[in-house]
Amino acid sequence: MAEQTKVKTLDQIVIRFSGDSGDGMQLTGTIFSNLSAIFGNDISTFPDYPAEVRAPQGSLSGISGFQVHLGSKKIFTPGDKADVLVAMNPAALKVNVKNLKSDSVIIIDLDSFQKRDLDKAEFKTEDPFEELGLKSQQVIAAPVSTMVRDGLAEFGLDNKSALRCKNMFTLGLVCWLFDRPIDTAMKMLQNKFVKKPAIAQANIKALTDGYHYGHNIQASVSTYRIEGTKIEPGIYKDVNGNNAISYGLIAAAEKAGLRLFLGSYPITPATEILQELSKHKRLGVITVQAEDEIAGICTAIGASFAGCLGVTSTSGPGLALKSEAIGLAVIAELPLVVIDVQRGGPSTGMPTKSEQADLMQVLYGRNGESPVVVLAAATPADCFDMAFWAGKLAVEHMTPVVLLSDAFLANGSSAWRIPDLNDYPEIKPNYVSNYRGEATWKPYRRDSDSLVRYWAVPGTEGFTHRIGGLEKDFDTSSISTDPMNHQKMVMTRQAKIDRIADFIPELEVAGDQDADLLLAGWGGTYGHLYETMEIMQSNGKKVALAHFRFISPLPGNTVEVLKRYPKVIVAEQNNGQFANYLRSKVDDFNPYRFNRIKGQPFIVSRLVEEFTKILDNA
């Protein structure tokens, strides 16, 4: 066997798997990510797939991708450009050429690069690499389809079924490239296809063949070594944002001593929350797949009135349909959690792409003065904590809480240390048993400090009551159209939300406390902004980052933080919604803005370039 001649030892690397939607790129990337996490690498992933159910095979519009960034240090983003690209056909190569580093390795299925395949991908010549200007990359051109068919002949599979195992061959090749043992991958495949043992064995055989093929060609291409890292002891799970939200909601209900109820309607990219919670009936979770978005939220409001932690999940188009019902929860002052996994809009927009353009909708998109609490998760793992916070604030303050996620967080994953629930604070519902007022209890009697009304769960003896969508009298809780009373109730509901600022953490600032430039962001851009800050610091710049997870109300020290720095850039994936919101809350605040609305995550190198210009030249 030839001796390896090129080994690159790196502290981080980016791999992108790309092919037709039916090529199994999401499964391939997920298994490789799990292997790397088990090996001790920190990871961040980015599934990037089309909205079409099945675009024409080999076409540019049908390419599905999965990018994973792994390293021996903390990883914050899926990475800008790939060190290794697996391109299952010419269209995958063409779509991803902009995502390649100059010294990258490209793995292709040579059998899928015939003239008919090149024509489908709209190449003008028979040399796609020359046409795309790819001259410095190392190419592994393996006849994957042929080797998979030949290797699986003993299983008696038809041609189509055999070729479905191509992705496992390439996974084996990538495992060799990164010195990843394949034993664990074999177990994962056995578990995935436990009801189809023949299919499991065929995929394992293809995986093994790809791994051995790598050994046979090892003298012709660089291999990579990324050492594991020492991590805090504990049980870790590769978790995406949707699953983390599901677990956080379960934890919040457990801490509050409540049943968790989810009323929802399937919508990309939030559907997985409904799917995940439906698996946990043994934990007391109740799920209802409603006939539409309005029914979904109304069942959740009904469950909340009945004494559950009511939750509904959706994306931007569904949130628009839920707006009237959110107003009902506001005026009825019931605990409700609304999960909005944002996607590209408007209307149907780009269902599988990520955006941050629902902020104004969640803050103001209802009739009347309808204040709600608004939170935003920062990372896939942080989705757990923010879902817990959403449940806590909803229950303790008797209010709707909107938790913003996005497609990037929902589908991307990171290594998550399963926490000890004992480390999380108690959740104490403001039950009517807490009422100590001198007057007779009425449904809208409130705690004098927090202004939170008392929760009388129907069936509690002596506390029969009625609430609803009509305005009520502040003192008697009867229906009222009195002008002065309406003013008082409107101001009281707003003051209740404003006072929540006393119950949430202050805004934290990372980086240089005496920075010349403060980066401000919210939601799923956290990793990109944090990495940008680190790179600029390594370039000798004094930079800090304030990332907002609590948006309405803002943390109590927001004004002080934003006024502390000479230059502030608000970066977001919309047309400036958060920057405008901050300006409405902070006097004489006029930040620089960085806005991109491309349906894709920020590119860190671009952020560094633009922010450095502002810092140096502004």
Side-chain angles (χ1 to χ4, degrees):
M1 183 177 291
E3 185 179 350
Q4 268 182 224
T5 57
K6 308 176 203 173
V7 179
K8 294 183 178 180
T9 301
L10 303 172
D11 60 4
Q12 58 181 315
I13 203 161
V14 177
I15 308 104
R16 189 172 182 91
F17 300 88
S18 188
D20 275 326
S21 293
D23 284 339
M25 294 296 94
Q26 307 300 320
L27 174 62
T28 307
T30 299
I31 293 178
F32 184 77
S33 300
N34 289 336
L35 289 175
S36 298
I38 291 170
F39 187 75
N41 297 131
D42 199 32
I43 62 169
S44 176
T45 71
F46 174 51
D48 186 15
Y49 51 92
E52 292 85 355
V53 174
R54 183 63 63 86
Q57 189 174 17
S59 66
L60 296 171
S61 60
I63 295 303
S64 176
F66 189 103
Q67 187 158 304
V68 56
H69 187 185
L70 59 101
S72 56
K73 63 177 185 177
K74 182 65 179 175
I75 298 297
F76 294 99
T77 75
D80 286 355
K81 294 191 175 183
D83 298 279
V84 176
L85 170 67
V86 175
M88 300 299 287
N89 58 33
L93 178 65
K94 193 171 192 177
V95 167
N96 289 288
V97 65
K98 61 182 181 297
N99 299 318
L100 286 173
K101 293 180 180 177
S102 59
D103 59 346
S104 57
V105 172
I106 303 173
I107 300 172
I108 67 169
D109 176 9
L110 191 59
D111 294 328
S112 297
F113 273 69
Q114 304 305 310
K115 187 178 187 310
R116 65 180 181 278
D117 305 302
L118 295 171
D119 290 342
K120 288 179 183 178
E122 302 176 14
F123 278 99
K124 301 292 191 295
T125 67
E126 295 186 8
D127 187 344
F129 293 92
E130 178 70 25
E131 188 171 329
L132 295 173
L134 297 173
K135 299 179 179 179
S136 58
Q137 285 77 8
Q138 302 177 69
V139 180
I140 301 176
V144 176
S145 297
T146 299
M147 288 190 288
V148 168
R149 274 195 300 263
D150 293 347
L152 301 184
E154 62 187 276
F155 292 89
L157 299 174
D158 60 74
N159 187 61
K160 185 176 181 180
S161 297
L163 290 180
R164 283 178 178 167
C165 299
K166 289 193 303 180
N167 60 327
M168 289 301 107
F169 184 97
T170 58
L171 175 61
L173 181 53
V174 173
C175 285
W176 164 78
L177 197 63
F178 290 93
D179 193 25
R180 295 288 185 265
I182 59 175
D183 294 349
T184 303
M186 293 179 181
K187 294 177 182 177
M188 291 178 184
L189 289 170
Q190 288 174 336
N191 291 334
K192 179 171 179 60
F193 298 108
V194 65
K195 296 182 180 180
K196 299 178 180 178
I199 298 299
Q201 290 306 311
N203 277 279
I204 289 172
K205 176 65 163 54
L207 174 77
T208 306
D209 288 349
Y211 190 79
H212 291 159
Y213 179 80
H215 278 288
N216 293 335
I217 60 145
Q218 61 181 319
S220 64
V221 67
S222 296
T223 58
Y224 298 91
R225 180 176 295 120
I226 300 97
E227 299 296 339
T229 184
K230 291 183 179 180
I231 57 177
E232 183 180 358
I235 300 173
Y236 284 80
K237 177 179 176 61
D238 181 40
V239 67
N240 67 30
N242 278 342
N243 287 341
I245 284 174
S246 302
Y247 306 147
L249 293 170
I250 293 172
E254 171 109 2
K255 277 286 191 176
L258 302 174
R259 297 285 297 274
L260 176 63
F261 178 96
L262 177 77
S264 191
Y265 180 74
I267 182 172
T268 302
T271 303
E272 194 176 5
I273 297 171
L274 172 61
Q275 293 171 331
E276 181 62 33
L277 286 177
S278 67
K279 302 174 184 177
H280 298 288
K281 294 181 178 65
R282 63 185 179 84
L283 297 177
V285 178
I286 306 167
T287 56
V288 170
Q289 180 174 322
E291 63 268 30
D292 56 41
E293 294 283 0
I294 298 172
I297 188 172
C298 287
T299 60
I301 291 173
S304 177
F305 178 72
C308 295
L309 173 53
V311 182
T312 189
S313 55
T314 190
S315 188
L319 187 69
L321 294 169
K322 295 178 188 291
S323 62
E324 183 182 3
I326 294 174
L328 171 61
V330 169
I331 198 169
E333 298 189 55
L334 284 169
L336 174 71
V337 176
V338 180
I339 310 295
D340 176 18
V341 186
Q342 300 168 96
R343 72 190 207 188
S347 186
T348 309
M350 300 190 297
T352 62
K353 306 306 179 184
S354 192
E355 205 164 88
Q356 289 185 299
D358 291 353
L359 182 59
M360 290 294 104
Q361 182 179 199
V362 301
L363 286 168
Y364 305 117
R366 294 165 296 282
N367 67 296
E369 295 289 341
S370 301
V372 299
V373 177
V374 178
L375 312 178
T379 68
D382 185 53
C383 285
F384 177 90
D385 285 349
M386 296 315 292
F388 184 90
W389 266 107
K392 178 178 173 64
L393 294 177
V395 168
E396 292 186 341
H397 296 270
M398 297 293 285
T399 181
V401 176
V402 181
L403 173 58
L404 290 168
S405 176
D406 57 50
F408 171 68
L409 294 180
N411 298 315
S413 63
S414 59
W416 174 58
R417 182 178 180 274
I418 298 176
D420 184 345
L421 202 54
N422 293 322
D423 295 335
Y424 283 72
E426 288 185 287
I427 297 178
K428 299 178 180 179
N430 194 37
Y431 287 129
V432 70
S433 57
N434 297 333
Y435 181 63
R436 298 292 183 267
E438 296 180 2
T440 303
W441 175 84
K442 297 292 182 181
Y444 288 92
R445 291 274 187 257
R446 304 172 184 279
D447 178 90
S448 58
D449 294 326
S450 66
L451 299 179
V452 177
R453 81 172 186 89
Y454 294 92
W455 196 5
V457 176
T460 305
E461 187 174 354
F463 291 96
T464 301
H465 67 288
R466 181 181 298 168
I467 58 176
L470 292 173
E471 185 65 283
K472 305 301 191 296
D473 185 270
F474 185 90
D475 295 311
T476 68
S477 299
S478 299
I479 294 173
S480 172
T481 58
D482 178 73
M484 297 305 294
N485 177 75
H486 180 55
Q487 171 85 10
K488 186 174 183 178
M489 289 295 280
V490 167
M491 300 304 290
T492 299
R493 287 189 289 262
Q494 182 64 60
K496 182 181 74 168
I497 300 300
D498 293 341
R499 291 190 186 187
I500 292 174
D502 297 332
F503 298 88
I504 61 176
E506 288 198 332
L507 179 63
E508 296 182 359
V509 178
D512 299 308
Q513 299 303 305
D514 60 343
D516 300 315
L517 175 66
L518 176 70
L519 310 181
W522 64 279
T525 59
Y526 169 77
H528 299 82
L529 294 176
Y530 193 95
E531 189 171 313
T532 298
M533 177 192 71
E534 287 193 324
I535 293 174
M536 292 183 71
Q537 286 178 317
S538 69
N539 293 336
K541 310 295 184 183
K542 285 190 174 183
V543 184
L545 169 64
H547 203 79
F548 288 79
R549 297 155 73 228
F550 297 87
I551 293 176
S552 177
L554 290 164
N557 64 331
T558 296
V559 173
E560 183 273 324
V561 168
L562 295 179
K563 294 282 192 175
R564 189 192 311 166
Y565 299 92
K567 297 184 181 70
V568 180
I569 299 175
V570 178
E572 47 187 326
Q573 292 177 316
N574 57 48
N575 215 17
Q577 295 183 20
F578 189 54
N580 289 335
Y581 175 67
L582 289 176
R583 290 192 66 191
S584 74
K585 298 295 182 179
V586 182
D587 292 337
D588 300 320
F589 178 63
N590 189 24
Y592 296 94
R593 305 176 186 218
F594 184 87
N595 304 111
R596 292 292 183 273
I597 321 169
K598 298 184 176 182
Q600 296 290 322
F602 282 149
I603 297 174
V604 172
S605 59
R606 182 67 172 163
L607 296 181
V608 172
E609 179 184 353
E610 292 295 325
F611 295 173
T612 301
K613 287 180 181 177
I614 290 174
L615 182 58
D616 290 344
N617 301 326

